[in-house]
Each structure stands twice: as C-alpha cells, then as structure tokens.
Amino acid sequence: MDFIQQFSNWTKGDLIQAKLMIAGIIIFCVPLIFYSTKTSDVFFKGLIIPLSILSLMLLSYGGYLVVTKGKEIQRVEKEYSKNHQLTLTK
C-alpha cells in the first residue's frame, strides 16, 4: 500500500468519525436536551448545561473535520501527482 492509499484511508476514517459525532448529537443529545427542558425531574434539569456543552464540542470538532479533511485529501493527491519525492519528504 503506497502513501496516498494510506493517507486516503486515514482521512476517510476521520471523515467517518466526524459524521458519527454529528449523528450522535442529532440522535442522542438533542432529544435528551429537549426532554430535559420538558420534565420536572431535577436530574434531567441538571443535564441541560453539560449536554449542551458536549453537543457544541462534538458539533464544532465534527464540522471542522468534515470541512478540512475532504480538501486535504484533494490537496495531497494533487501535490503527490506533481512530485512524489517532495510530497513524501514534506
């Protein structure tokens, strides 16, 4: 397996991780936050702030990975096709 294939597999793994983080927010955190606001249970009221912070962190990092990793694959493949040795030494 050459450098580009390894890099591509690694970056695709990062993209899958980012999509799972964003899906986890939508599937788990957002409904739990809405349920916490509607219930009168103190435990769930105490979960609102930590879940909001967790959702914000996951959304920001997941969004960052989705935006940057797709462009990074294309950039490295373009550089690799121009000059193999220079790209490998970088």
Side-chain angles (χ1 to χ4, degrees), residues 25-87:
I25 292 168
I26 294 170
I27 292 171
F28 177 70
C29 292
V30 172
L32 195 56
I33 290 171
F34 284 130
Y35 176 74
S36 298
T37 58
K38 301 293 183 194
T39 187
S40 62
D41 192 7
V42 177
F43 175 74
F44 287 110
K45 291 287 186 187
L47 279 177
I48 294 173
I49 293 174
L51 280 177
S52 299
I53 293 171
L54 177 68
S55 298
L56 182 65
M57 287 173 30
L58 288 175
L59 184 63
S60 62
Y61 185 62
Y64 165 75
L65 285 177
V66 166
V67 169
T68 59
K69 291 299 179 179
K71 293 177 185 175
E72 189 174 351
I73 291 174
Q74 294 170 355
R75 181 186 59 81
V76 170
E77 284 179 351
K78 191 166 93 174
E79 285 181 15
Y80 188 77
S81 66
K82 287 181 182 176
N83 191 351
H84 303 300
Q85 292 300 327
L86 182 62
T87 306

